[in-house]
Amino acid sequence: AQCQQPYAFMKPTLKRRLRAMIMEHADDYGLDNLSYTGFIRVSGYKSLLSASDMSLAVTALLECETKSTHDKLTTEDDHGQSPFNEEEEEEQSLIASFNTAYDALNSNGSSSVSMSGGGGGDLSSLVNGGDGSGRTNGVGAGIQLAVSLQSAIISSAMSLVERKAIVRLTHFRYAYLHATSQGVNGGRNFNTDKAASGAMNKKQQHTHHIFAKPLALTKLAHFLMDMHRSNNKWTGTKARPLILLSEKPSTQTYLVVGYEFPENRGSVKRNKFGRKFKLATEMMDGKAKFDSFESNVVEVKASEVQKFIEHLHYMIDSI
């Protein structure tokens, strides 16, 4: 059946009619904004790439850890120890991700680092119906990461809703995203025994949450807002800002992102969580890490994250 074929291998006549056919039945399933105007770069038959796909691919390479980056950070010395501590490892991960994303921006859409197995760095496999599997860097890897991230956003959003894990308070909603069983109940059960922690296998320590990055977590919040706005569950008097807290086991912290509620889809509302987060941190006399381009992003110790949420609520209530 043609619906099971990769797009590149579908019949030309069907490909030309595909958009009209989709739009014809979109209203029956409540689907809108399925297409938009954009730019496409064509460089011979092997490379056809839209500007939006390039943006999503590079963003995914910045936010998500590729296999090559993971392998570099999990190497051990002669004593079976990592050459980096937690802070150094996170910094090295950011640098490696930036370099991978920067390399993907070159003119032929490939990385300057050759890929294992001789797969090449261009997009010919993807354009000709391949899935880009085995790619460790370059735009091809970025596109696959972007697809995986979007899939994770949808599945995580559905899981939060089905488990009724989003808590509603007077001034906002919030939800935890855990990467390990240690993070259950807001991260209260983290092992603080340094000896036990040091004895952990390095690969276990390296476990991280896919949403432990500001942009990825913000995308999840945005999707949750759009989903509940569409079904009219978070509208009118039921509308609230949303706070998501993602576990970071390697540093025993939680990444916290505050997302304001825009009344209409596509509209922009000024985010005031930066000032609120700072005031809440001062009230609880705790330490928090404000190390992002966005002021509505903060990193809080796992042992203090629930206390942070409580003080944030009390602080807003007193304003």
Side-chain angles (χ1 to χ4, degrees):
Q2 288 294 304
C3 62
Q4 297 177 327
Q5 293 288 341
Y7 181 78
F9 296 150
M10 290 173 62
K11 293 181 179 179
T13 54
L14 185 58
K15 284 196 288 187
R16 286 193 292 268
R17 293 171 47 213
L18 183 60
R19 178 176 177 179
M21 293 170 64
I22 291 176
M23 299 307 296
E24 181 182 350
H25 299 284
D27 290 341
D28 298 338
Y29 297 92
L31 301 175
D32 56 4
N33 298 317
L34 292 178
S35 63
Y36 55 89
T37 302
F39 297 92
I40 294 178
R41 185 192 70 184
V42 180
S43 302
Y45 73 95
K46 285 189 176 182
S47 178
L48 187 151
L49 184 65
S50 70
S52 58
D53 283 349
M54 186 66 170
S55 174
L56 291 170
V58 173
T59 300
L61 290 172
L62 282 171
E63 288 285 295
C64 303
E65 187 179 83
T66 62
K67 183 179 182 300
S68 59
T69 303
H70 175 83
D71 291 343
K72 291 177 183 177
L73 297 176
T74 53
T75 55
E76 298 176 349
D77 58 21
D78 296 337
H79 302 287
Q81 300 294 323
S82 169
F84 309 114
N85 59 35
E86 286 81 0
E87 291 186 1
E88 291 173 340
E89 184 174 297
E90 185 172 11
E91 183 179 353
Q92 290 299 317
S93 177
L94 290 172
I95 294 173
S97 295
F98 175 85
N99 289 335
T100 301
Y102 185 79
D103 286 343
L105 289 172
N106 69 41
S107 59
N108 64 359
S110 65
S111 174
S112 60
V113 182
S114 61
M115 304 207 302
S116 60
D122 61 26
L123 298 174
S124 58
S125 174
L126 289 171
V127 172
N128 294 319
D131 61 0
S133 59
R135 298 178 180 274
T136 59
N137 45 37
V139 180
I143 289 176
Q144 296 308 311
L145 281 173
V147 171
S148 298
L149 178 59
Q150 188 62 31
S151 177
I153 287 172
I154 295 173
S155 60
S156 296
M158 295 302 297
S159 175
L160 288 172
V161 173
E162 291 173 356
R163 293 185 293 109
K164 298 182 179 180
I166 303 176
V167 180
R168 173 182 168 180
L169 299 180
T170 305
H171 302 290
F172 56 82
R173 290 180 171 88
Y174 73 94
Y176 286 102
L177 292 99
H178 305 299
T180 68
S181 59
Q182 290 177 308
V184 176
N185 299 323
R188 294 173 182 264
N189 297 327
F190 270 107
N191 187 356
T192 56
D193 185 348
K194 292 184 178 179
S197 178
M200 288 178 62
N201 182 278
K202 179 59 186 174
K203 291 184 178 180
Q204 292 177 331
Q205 289 182 351
H206 191 75
T207 299
H208 70 282
H209 202 292
I210 190 173
F211 293 112
K213 296 291 182 68
L215 188 55
L217 196 56
T218 300
K219 286 182 177 180
L220 176 59
H222 183 83
F223 182 83
L224 283 166
M225 284 291 191
D226 276 351
M227 182 174 68
H228 286 89
R229 187 191 297 108
S230 297
N231 59 27
N232 294 318
K233 289 187 176 181
W234 288 5
T235 57
T237 58
K238 295 179 290 185
R240 301 283 190 285
L242 177 64
I243 296 175
L244 295 180
L245 307 96
S246 180
E247 180 188 3
K248 298 180 66 175
S250 61
T251 56
Q252 296 192 11
T253 60
Y254 272 78
L255 183 73
V256 184
V257 166
Y259 192 89
E260 294 285 358
F261 182 86
E263 290 293 336
N264 301 309
R265 182 175 182 175
S267 62
V268 179
K269 185 175 181 180
R270 182 183 176 188
N271 199 315
K272 300 179 181 178
F273 271 111
R275 178 174 174 272
K276 294 174 182 177
F277 283 171
K278 289 183 179 180
L279 290 175
T281 304
E282 294 172 359
M283 281 182 62
M284 73 177 195
D285 195 25
K287 291 184 178 180
K289 184 179 180 182
F290 293 88
D291 191 28
S292 174
F293 288 110
E294 303 293 338
S295 61
N296 61 308
V297 179
V298 61
E299 193 170 328
V300 183
K301 288 184 178 179
S303 57
E304 297 181 344
V305 67
Q306 187 60 36
K307 183 180 177 182
F308 172 79
I309 288 293
E310 293 169 0
H311 278 77
L312 179 64
H313 181 266
Y314 296 146
M315 185 274 299
I316 298 175
D317 199 41
S318 64
I319 296 178

